[in-house]
Amino acid sequence: VRSSAASDVYKRQEYGGLQIEQLERSLAAARAHKTEVRALVVINPGNPTGAVLSEQNIRDVIAFCSRERIVLLADEVYQENIYTDKKFHSFKKVLRSMGDKYQNQELVSFHSMSKGLFGECGHRGGYYELVGFEKEIHEVCYKRASVNLCSNAVGQIMLGLMANPPKEGSESYGLYSQERAAILSSLSRRAALLTKSLNALEGISLDQPPGAMYAFPQVRLPRKAVEVANQQGVAPDAFYALRALESSGIVIVPGSGFGQVEGTYHFRTTFLPPENEFEEVMKLFCDFHTKFMNEFRD
């Protein structure tokens, strides 16, 4: 699915959900090239757009995978990072609600304390859960994990804290709730500031990300910039990203690395810089973009 679906999936509206018709076209294209499609990976809330899938959309994806006999891999590490009235629905919960017809659908759910709300990137800890797999598959996975020479003790402790947070009535519940709310509200404000700042720039458009910690704005590059990039043998959005790094020190990821409609250009960015530094970061980027557009103006 990776080779054929990646260039197709972003032809939808960024926050409109996964379109089953597009998945079907991608699957047909892969099979036409003799690719045996074994799995579909869905990130929810999403990367790079921050999209949050509706319950009905998840049902449609599960039905698609069941019909086509495709293993479903659900990356749900950003499940607490939601900043609008949208609601997170786990694939497992939705699958269990769909009745016996779908109970043999093979699903792997992923979660981690290295990303999402906790964001402890310096520590690595996560888990996956197998649903609908035969006993032998569970045994192979358990055996593979058991042959590790040593356990990641710190990561396991932190994962346990994530999976079992303080409960209401416990001594630390108040502080935990306060810090959790502060993190999410700060990320929400930064997402709003990012959206406002980018939409004020010439040639950039972005809907405010409803979840995760990423944004995927579209940038309409001047024709001259595209021509220079092509002369250098570089994708135009990669050319733009390199110039951003050289000018501002800010790293963005070209949209061509994810897949996008032919003739359009995007970049992935985040709203992770500390809130007290975020306005300065946005100023640096806005200054770069203005100079870039003036340099290559048609």
Side-chain angles (χ1 to χ4, degrees):
V1 172
R2 178 185 177 189
S3 61
S4 59
S7 61
D8 198 22
V9 72
Y10 294 111
K11 294 180 182 179
R12 60 177 171 82
Q13 290 290 326
E14 273 77 7
Y15 307 127
L18 287 169
Q19 303 299 319
I20 303 304
E21 295 80 6
Q22 291 180 343
L23 291 178
E24 290 172 342
R25 287 198 297 271
S26 296
L27 179 62
R31 287 174 173 169
H33 286 86
K34 309 301 182 183
T35 298
E36 184 177 0
V37 178
R38 298 178 180 271
L40 172 66
V41 180
V42 179
I43 306 174
N44 180 45
N47 176 8
T49 66
V52 181
L53 300 184
S54 69
E55 182 174 2
Q56 184 57 53
N57 200 183
I58 292 174
R59 289 177 179 272
D60 293 340
V61 172
I62 291 172
F64 166 77
C65 289
S66 175
R67 183 169 63 251
E68 300 295 344
R69 300 182 61 82
I70 295 174
V71 176
L72 180 55
L73 307 177
D75 180 342
E76 299 173 333
V77 301
Y78 302 111
Q79 58 187 259
E80 294 191 71
N81 295 73
I82 297 178
Y83 317 112
T84 67
D85 58 356
K86 291 181 178 290
K87 184 179 179 181
F88 168 76
H89 300 278
S90 75
F91 271 83
K92 180 183 177 182
K93 182 194 73 172
V94 176
L95 174 63
R96 290 293 190 236
S97 73
M98 292 176 66
D100 293 340
K101 178 180 179 180
Y102 296 99
Q103 294 315 300
N104 290 327
Q105 170 61 40
E106 294 172 319
L107 167 69
V108 187
S109 299
F110 299 87
H111 199 11
S112 170
M113 43 67 59
S114 303
K115 296 186 177 182
L117 172 66
F118 282 73
E120 293 287 348
C121 301
H123 297 286
R124 314 311 290 180
Y127 66 80
Y128 64 90
E129 180 184 14
L130 301 176
V131 174
F133 288 84
E134 296 185 357
K135 179 182 177 181
E136 290 76 13
I137 303 298
H138 286 261
E139 291 175 348
V140 169
C141 292
Y142 185 78
K143 182 183 294 184
R144 184 177 183 277
S146 300
V147 300
N148 291 333
L149 294 178
C150 59
S151 62
N152 174 13
V154 175
Q156 289 181 349
I157 291 170
M158 297 184 73
L159 183 63
L161 293 172
M162 181 200 76
N164 298 285
K167 303 295 190 296
E168 188 172 2
S170 66
E171 183 177 354
S172 57
Y173 177 77
L175 180 59
Y176 167 78
S177 299
Q178 178 183 341
E179 292 184 348
R180 179 182 184 278
I183 291 171
L184 291 176
S185 61
S186 175
L187 285 169
S188 179
R189 289 191 296 271
R190 281 177 271 172
L193 177 57
L194 175 75
T195 304
K196 180 180 179 181
S197 300
L198 292 183
N199 281 331
L201 295 175
E202 177 187 1
I204 292 185
S205 58
L206 173 68
D207 291 335
Q208 184 165 331
M213 52 185 63
Y214 306 103
F216 199 59
Q218 180 175 352
V219 54
R220 288 171 287 281
L221 298 175
R223 177 180 52 82
K224 290 181 180 178
V226 174
E227 291 174 352
V228 172
N230 290 334
Q231 291 169 5
Q232 296 181 6
V234 179
D237 49 10
F239 175 74
Y240 176 82
L242 288 170
R243 291 293 295 267
L245 177 61
E246 293 167 355
S247 175
S248 67
I250 296 172
V251 177
I252 57 176
V253 182
S256 52
F258 297 96
Q260 55 195 346
V261 180
E262 185 177 354
T264 68
Y265 306 106
H266 298 72
F267 61 90
R268 189 194 73 171
T269 187
T270 77
F271 38 95
L272 290 176
E275 189 169 8
N276 63 344
E277 301 175 8
F278 202 67
E279 287 191 12
E280 179 61 26
V281 171
M282 292 311 305
K283 182 179 184 303
L284 285 171
F285 185 83
C286 292
D287 288 347
F288 148 72
H289 180 80
T290 300
K291 293 176 182 176
F292 182 92
M293 297 299 284
N294 287 333
E295 178 181 352
F296 294 101
R297 191 169 302 281
D298 294 336

